[in-house]
Amino acid sequence: MWNYLLRRLLTMVLTVWIISILVFIVIQLPPGDFASNMVSRMTAQTGAAADPAVVQQMRRMYGIDQPLPVQYLRWVQNVLTRGRFGYSMLYNRDAIDVIRERLPMTLALSLSSFMLVWMISLPAGIYSAVKKYTAGDYIVSFFGFVGLATPNFLLALLFLFIAYRYFGVAAFGLFSEQYIEAPWSFAKLFDLARRMIVPVIVIGTAGTAGLIRTVRANLLDELQKPYVDTARAKGLKEGKLLWKYPVRHSLNPFISTLGWALPALISGEVIVSIVLNLPTAGPILYHALANQDMYLAAGFLLVLSALTVIGTFVSDILLALIDPRIRFQ
């Protein structure tokens, strides 16, 4: 077991290093850079052409005038020695400070959505499989298909309309106006929990619908296997039989989603975060990529990739603990 953990840890380090190279190359693929984009906007506003010497000076100031390998080595050295991702040209701040501000709310929203997905999809999927082809199964399947087919940003707009039309509340952001700049307190924490209900439901809808269908399909497959008939023949009670074997083997999709839960939230819910004005990483990452703020974008992507690798490692360990077949292999 310890040899396995050591191999996985070394693989994680190698994976993150390769990801850092790919991230740095990908964010450099679009033509131009931050300096050229800024000059283009200034030219469009003033109508006067920019001095090439000024453009070159801006590139030198932001450290983007060097060849790509030199920029990457400097960036990696800065990350390893100082824990810094570079200077955010878009926000005129260190990129790590911008990431620190957005990452806690992103993690809180992601974990809340993930817990909602688990709490709903597991019992609903089990019920739908056990009561297959009944009215309850059809109702669960109907809501599952609706959840998969409805875009999350459309649900966000619907919730905003309902909240404002019938309750007179503008459900934007994660804090009420009086708590945005206020220090942390029980009242602020309660306000956060209250206002997180809408984004958590919106963001968790698609994941819940998908996992319901996955759990139902996996459990139906397990219930058809010979060991279930053998357990029934030995007199094992139906409830104990269900939870001891088939449900346990059907939990694999739940555990395996740990690794991609946070990246799915960031990459798939950017529009929802923009619609609901959420202070999460999605909008910041979108603006950083759109404006070629390379150090901020690279820092965000590297942090998310590291969290993905760690989450995948944890999910593999949990899968080995839950499923004896994986331990045997």
Side-chain angles (χ1 to χ4, degrees), residues 94-108:
D94 201 303
I96 191 65
D97 296 332
V98 181
I99 295 174
R100 281 201 194 104
E101 288 182 357
R102 294 299 180 114
L103 201 57
M105 289 296 101
T106 303
L107 290 174

Side-chain angles (χ1 to χ4, degrees), residues 58-77:
M58 290 178 61
R59 289 196 175 98
R60 189 180 304 111
M61 179 177 63
Y62 291 124
I64 55 179
D65 61 327
Q66 299 294 326
L68 181 59
V70 177
Q71 293 184 43
Y72 172 75
L73 291 177
R74 287 182 177 178
W75 180 65
V76 169
Q77 183 182 9

Side-chain angles (χ1 to χ4, degrees), residues 21-33 68 289 292 294:
I21 297 176
L22 296 176
V23 163
F24 208 81
I25 292 175
V26 168
I27 62 176
Q28 299 272 6
L29 290 179
D33 50 36
L68 181 59
L289 292 172
Q292 292 185 293
M294 51 182 291

Side-chain angles (χ1 to χ4, degrees), residues 176-183 188:
S176 300
E177 186 176 353
Q178 64 270 26
Y179 292 111
I180 294 178
E181 300 296 337
K188 184 174 181 177

Side-chain angles (χ1 to χ4, degrees), residues 19-149:
I19 289 174
S20 70
I21 297 176
L22 296 176
V23 163
F24 208 81
I25 292 175
V26 168
I27 62 176
Q28 299 272 6
L29 290 179
D33 50 36
F34 181 82
S36 61
N37 287 345
M38 180 180 292
V39 169
S40 298
R41 289 196 298 268
M42 293 173 60
T43 302
Q45 293 175 0
T46 62
D51 187 355
V54 175
V55 178
Q56 186 62 26
Q57 183 180 0
M58 290 178 61
R59 289 196 175 98
R60 189 180 304 111
M61 179 177 63
Y62 291 124
I64 55 179
D65 61 327
Q66 299 294 326
L68 181 59
V70 177
Q71 293 184 43
Y72 172 75
L73 291 177
R74 287 182 177 178
W75 180 65
V76 169
Q77 183 182 9
N78 201 29
V79 172
L80 295 178
T81 58
R82 301 177 56 196
R84 301 285 180 176
F85 295 117
Y87 190 75
S88 173
M89 297 166 276
L90 183 61
Y91 294 93
N92 294 322
R93 301 170 57 193
D94 201 303
I96 191 65
D97 296 332
V98 181
I99 295 174
R100 281 201 194 104
E101 288 182 357
R102 294 299 180 114
L103 201 57
M105 289 296 101
T106 303
L107 290 174
L109 191 60
S110 175
L111 292 176
S112 300
S113 302
F114 195 68
M115 292 302 297
L116 178 69
V117 170
W118 275 45
M119 291 170 58
I120 296 178
S121 57
L122 178 60
I126 293 174
Y127 175 84
S128 183
V130 174
K131 304 292 184 179
K132 64 176 181 177
Y133 308 135
T134 63
D137 179 28
Y138 290 134
I139 292 174
V140 172
S141 299
F142 171 77
F143 283 106
F145 287 127
V146 169
L148 286 173

